[in-house]
Amino acid sequence: MALSFILASNSPRRRALLAEAGYEFEVIATNVSEVTTVHLSLRELTIANATRKGLVVSHVHPDRIILAADTLVAIEGEVIGKPRDLNQARVILRRLSGQTHDVCTGVCIVSPQKKISFAEISQVRFRKLNESDITNYFRVVNPIDKAGAYAAQAAGRRIIASVEGSFTNVIGLPMERTTEVLAQFGLYPVNVSRPQPPAESSQRGPVRVLRLDTKTRR
């Protein structure tokens, strides 16, 4: 029997958030090149990338409901992606130190009958970080695969002073809005328990992970 929907994402954090909320789903990891352009707003850019991911998986599984997402960090209008290496990650955290930045997650949910897209923005204020703070943070968190070179759920209190808006949005999926939209597709939590902040390696729930090696042009 097919699971309720497909999560088109490589992110273990999104997987953990949905599983902790009690949803049953299948994971199909995509390899879709992401749009990068100054001609789109932060909301438009994340929605565009989420839609690309969702439609790629929907093309292969046209009879299924697909959920895809994309998260970007921006400060003073400049988008900050994932660092290439630890040196660049250190540069990014220096830039975010003591400042407030935006975290935007675009979500696209598509079924054979309809498609709904939306984006949420949260404001994150960092503590003032010195070189020792950054070094100690990297000892417990690998920043390489994370937008903005940090993870809110993993030792986040070491670097984050406050979050205005959805905290799960900063992790990678705004669960408050996502839950509302999933319900419009007839999808509800199956295994309901009190949600806990997901660990980096959390893989709870009946999740089956596949990989769809599909590349698209920008």
Side-chain angles (χ1 to χ4, degrees):
M1 177 181 297
L3 297 175
S4 297
F5 63 93
I6 293 174
L7 172 63
S9 175
N10 295 308
S11 170
R13 296 165 290 281
R14 294 187 185 116
R15 188 186 314 165
L17 284 169
L18 288 166
E20 290 283 358
Y23 288 98
E24 291 188 348
F25 56 96
E26 177 181 0
V27 174
I28 296 183
T30 63
N31 186 19
V32 178
S33 60
E34 296 180 348
V35 174
T36 55
T37 175
V38 297
H39 301 295
L40 297 178
S41 69
L42 194 58
R43 291 180 185 273
E44 292 170 337
L45 193 56
T46 56
I47 288 175
N49 284 324
T51 301
R52 286 162 66 88
K53 298 173 186 178
L55 292 181
V56 164
V57 177
S58 180
H59 179 74
V60 180
H61 301 277
D63 58 334
R64 302 287 300 279
I65 299 174
I66 316 296
L67 187 157
D70 183 66
T71 301
L72 290 174
V73 170
I75 183 169
E76 299 176 343
E78 179 185 347
V79 174
I80 299 176
K82 300 175 183 178
R84 294 184 301 271
D85 51 38
L86 285 178
N87 288 333
Q88 188 182 30
R90 186 176 291 274
V91 171
I92 290 173
L93 290 196
R94 287 183 192 136
R95 173 80 184 279
L96 300 180
S97 173
Q99 305 295 317
T100 297
H101 62 272
D102 292 330
V103 178
C104 182
T105 299
V107 180
C108 176
I109 303 176
V110 58
S111 76
Q113 290 77 35
K114 60 183 176 180
K115 176 172 70 72
I116 299 177
S117 300
F118 61 91
E120 293 285 333
I121 295 181
S122 302
Q123 286 75 45
V124 179
R125 183 168 65 86
F126 261 30
R127 302 181 188 278
K128 188 67 176 178
L129 306 176
N130 57 38
E131 292 303 311
S132 178
D133 294 330
I134 295 174
T135 297
N136 290 334
Y137 182 70
F138 287 167
R139 286 173 178 163
V140 296
V141 174
N142 177 11
I144 301 303
D145 66 336
K146 299 169 180 63
Y150 74 94
Q153 79 283 6
R157 290 185 180 181
R158 296 192 181 195
I159 58 174
I160 295 174
S162 64
V163 174
E164 182 178 343
S166 169
F167 181 74
T168 59
N169 180 55
V170 182
I171 295 176
L173 193 64
M175 288 303 298
E176 302 86 355
R177 183 78 183 278
T178 299
T179 298
E180 294 176 358
V181 177
L182 284 174
Q184 297 180 42
F185 288 82
L187 297 172
Y188 300 91
V190 175
N191 304 309
V192 179
S193 59
R194 175 179 287 184
Q196 299 294 326
E200 186 73 10
S201 61
S202 175
Q203 294 189 22
R204 296 185 185 181
V207 179
R208 185 163 66 96
V209 181
L210 301 174
R211 178 171 296 278
L212 182 63
D213 290 322
T214 303
K215 295 184 179 180
T216 63
R217 296 182 179 177
R218 293 187 179 183

